[in-house]
Amino acid sequence: MYKRVKGTKDILPPESSLWQAIEEKTRKVFARYCFYELRTPILEPYELFVRSVGEGSDIVLKEMYELVDKKGRRLVLRPEGTASVARAVIENGLLNTLPLKLYYLGPFFRYERPQKGRFRQFHQIGAEVIGDNSLEGEVELVDLLLSVLKEVGLDDLRVVVNSLGDVNERIEYTNALREYLAAYESKLSKDSRERLSRNPLRILDSKDPVDIKILEKAPSILDYLDKNSINRLEQLIFYLSSMGWKVESDPRLVRGIDYYTGLVFEVLACGDLSIAGGGRYDNLIEELGGKQTPAVGFAIGMERVVDLVDKNIIDEDSAKAVLVAFSDVPRMEVFDLLATLRNFIPTEVAPSYKSIGKAIKWASRRNAKFVIILGEQELSERTVKVKILDSGSQYTLKREELGAFFGGYYEKNMDRNAR
RNA sequence: GUGGGCGUAGCUCAAGUGGUAGAGCACUGGACUGUGGCUCCAGCUGUUGAGGGUUCGAGUCCCUUCGCCCACCCCA
């Protein structure tokens, strides 16, 4: 027996409907903000992520699915979206039409130990604003992020923001922090000790109680940011709060990907579950060979959203019909009637049972709203019987009358699918 | 990579200290042969995740292995 590979998932009905609903709703919000979809390949060159995410990052060091193709090219299954967007934007010459407001949605891959809300093949919804370094742009992006989450039915949302400053500010702060922590080196947790030389900022994220105690008196990034950076962060908080969002600043918020500069943020739902994150990356595009171009973006973890979302955002099961045809009805008549019915309502045929009762039972188990009965009698009269399962009432209709009968349902259901 | 929990029918789960693998749901048929939901009756479903060991005898004890879940790490 074959099994799905570790960390992957089959999304079955009815859960797949939930995924569809979330995707549809987010696309609608993106459209309202005039963001357009960019679809990039799942396969990317290995080097792209070494350059962008950072060669010392965990993602590159141990989490990428790498493969070598038949010509010896070193490829990876994309572990995140921003680098691909940057690559595509540069490669297709879109830097001449700034600003760009793009979104994407799809599978990503990281070789990690699976756990709640985390898979090896996971799905992100992301957006990037490229070629805009304004405060307004940041406000809009975070507002967009929260609007998407709200649209899919998430309510208890909170966004935490911080600034990592520019390159110089960050280096200065990193040094100060390292110096402070070095004094406590022997008391720090094992993980934190390892990070002390490589990436002391990450220690700020530690959940070890002793570390947290030590960090209480550690220097704050806020002391190393210039007035403009701080001002800007405060304004961002002000505007977003005025829009009704819950925003707070946390000088300890850092992100694990190297390309972030300036603003970083994270969205927490239902208390402290992190479901989305992002930030500004003003140097990435230049780093990847484009001209210097500022940019901000975010990514939402689909699996985490699916976990939290109220399952009943799925549109109530759209009405459908089951055709029950007696076994002596010529098959061509059955196909013909099916085709007619399907112009008006989603329809499937019941398997042939000995008794019509079984067939109706089958239909009701399948949640059909209507049962269409076609037997010898109906055949000779060119009619069908339409039974409404909820009420049990039944009508004899001529075939030409079917359209009118299902007209109301047609508009309600087909319309929705078309959208 | 580290630590913990768990693998028994399609699903949810039983099976005191080792002693004939079971129930509910689901499914199929019948009571009811052109009209569902209720009820009753009958039937179907298994290398107990896999491999090895101890034993007269292992779902149960021991070892190995695989898988799933959870936490850490990291991140969405």
Side-chain angles (χ1 to χ4, degrees):
Chain A
M1 178 105 94
Y2 293 106
K3 310 190 77 173
R4 72 180 97 88
V5 335
K6 191 186 180 79
T8 64
K9 198 181 165 188
D10 298 312
I11 301 171
L12 316 168
E15 198 194 336
S16 49
S17 299
L18 181 60
W19 281 69
Q20 282 183 5
I22 292 171
E23 286 161 7
E24 276 168 33
K25 284 171 190 291
T26 62
R27 283 181 195 282
K28 257 194 280 175
V29 177
F30 282 131
R32 286 210 291 268
Y33 281 71
C34 302
F35 275 61
Y36 297 97
E37 185 181 8
L38 171 64
R39 301 194 188 194
T40 61
I42 287 169
L43 239 30
E44 290 278 7
Y46 172 85
E47 275 301 317
L48 175 62
F49 298 100
V50 177
R51 270 285 138 67
S52 56
V53 176
E55 61 183 329
S57 67
D58 282 15
I59 291 181
V60 168
L61 243 31
K62 47 190 193 193
E63 294 178 359
M64 289 206 292
Y65 276 90
E66 302 179 32
L67 58 122
V68 176
D69 74 7
K70 291 181 196 284
K71 276 276 173 69
R73 286 176 279 244
R74 202 171 177 192
L75 308 176
V76 297
L77 302 182
R78 59 184 188 183
E80 62 106 39
T82 302
S84 296
V85 171
R87 194 223 81 233
V89 158
I90 298 167
E91 184 172 350
N92 294 289
L94 302 184
L95 292 178
N96 297 315
T97 56
L98 301 178
L100 297 164
K101 297 177 184 181
L102 302 167
Y103 76 90
Y104 59 86
L105 177 163
F108 294 85
F109 303 83
R110 285 183 207 169
Y111 191 85
E112 296 180 277
R113 238 355 209 280
Q115 58 183 274
K116 193 171 182 60
R118 195 173 64 198
F119 296 86
R120 287 184 173 179
Q121 175 175 340
F122 58 103
H123 298 77
Q124 289 191 337
I125 299 169
E128 319 282 351
V129 178
I130 296 169
D132 180 344
N133 60 2
S134 70
L135 168 68
E136 291 82 349
E138 293 176 355
V139 172
E140 184 176 71
L141 186 84
V142 178
D143 173 53
L144 165 61
L145 166 57
L146 293 164
S147 296
V148 166
L149 294 172
K150 189 178 173 193
E151 180 73 20
V152 303
L154 260 32
D155 242 338
D156 183 12
L157 297 170
R158 180 161 70 91
V159 53
V160 179
V161 301
N162 190 26
S163 174
L164 299 179
D166 63 27
V167 182
N168 291 332
E169 289 165 346
R170 182 151 39 148
I171 291 175
E172 235 177 277
Y173 173 63
T174 306
N175 289 335
L177 184 65
R178 184 183 286 129
E179 203 173 304
Y180 167 83
L181 290 172
Y184 299 90
E185 181 163 359
S186 57
K187 289 185 188 150
L188 287 172
S189 67
K190 192 169 134 277
D191 289 324
S192 293
R193 244 176 289 144
E194 278 166 17
R195 276 177 295 198
L196 192 55
S197 56
R198 210 184 76 221
N199 194 351
L201 285 184
R202 296 229 51 87
I203 299 178
L204 295 173
D205 251 359
S206 174
K207 280 159 199 145
D208 182 276
V210 179
D211 289 358
I212 291 174
K213 188 98 190 189
I214 294 171
L215 286 167
E216 270 171 18
K217 288 188 185 142
S220 164
I221 180 117
L222 297 179
D223 301 329
Y224 290 80
L225 299 178
D226 72 16
K227 276 219 178 69
N228 284 339
S229 299
I230 292 187
N231 219 322
R232 193 175 162 125
L233 198 57
E234 281 170 356
Q235 285 193 68
L236 178 86
I237 295 172
F238 171 76
Y239 286 126
L240 288 170
S241 308
S242 311
M243 296 165 111
W245 301 118
K246 276 169 79 176
V247 194
E248 56 200 63
S249 103
D250 179 357
R252 300 217 188 121
L253 177 68
V254 288
R255 318 236 85 227
I257 297 179
D258 285 358
Y259 53 61
Y260 285 117
T261 57
L263 174 69
V264 290
F265 54 86
E266 189 171 309
V267 177
L268 308 174
C270 303
D272 58 349
L273 295 163
S274 167
I275 57 172
R280 180 166 281 289
Y281 52 98
D282 287 348
N283 302 320
L284 176 63
I285 293 182
E286 188 176 22
E287 194 84 16
L288 293 177
K291 63 183 179 193
Q292 209 286 325
T293 309
V296 236
F298 68 71
I300 300 170
M302 268 287 260
E303 281 78 3
R304 294 173 186 191
V305 171
V306 169
D307 271 353
L308 296 176
V309 151
D310 188 356
K311 306 291 184 259
N312 54 33
I313 66 163
I314 305 177
D315 296 329
E316 70 293 350
D317 224 3
S318 60
K320 70 175 189 186
V322 164
L323 172 57
V324 173
F326 283 75
S327 51
D328 51 1
V329 172
R331 292 298 97 176
M332 213 38 236
E333 293 288 344
V334 176
F335 295 137
D336 188 53
L337 179 56
L338 268 177
T340 305
L341 286 165
R342 283 173 177 155
N343 288 326
F344 310 120
I345 187 163
T347 309
E348 62 180 332
V349 213
S352 39
Y353 281 99
K354 261 193 196 149
S355 85
I356 184 171
K358 297 282 182 197
I360 291 174
K361 188 172 180 177
W362 186 86
S364 89
R365 264 202 321 262
R366 300 218 118 207
N367 276 321
K369 193 164 181 74
F370 304 100
V371 172
I372 317 296
I373 298 166
L374 179 65
E376 219 173 335
Q377 193 185 321
E378 290 80 12
L379 201 57
S380 60
E381 297 169 353
R382 297 293 298 164
T383 61
V384 296
K385 294 234 161 59
V386 177
K387 186 184 182 69
I388 300 176
L389 284 177
D390 294 341
S391 61
S393 48
Q394 183 168 307
Y395 306 88
T396 303
L397 296 178
K398 292 201 186 338
R399 301 227 184 151
E400 308 82 68
E401 294 171 330
L402 285 170
F405 183 86
F406 289 116
Y409 291 100
Y410 171 81
E411 274 171 31
K412 219 167 107 200
N413 296 297
M414 300 297 182
D415 230 33
R416 181 160 48 210
N417 294 341
R419 228 181 290 133

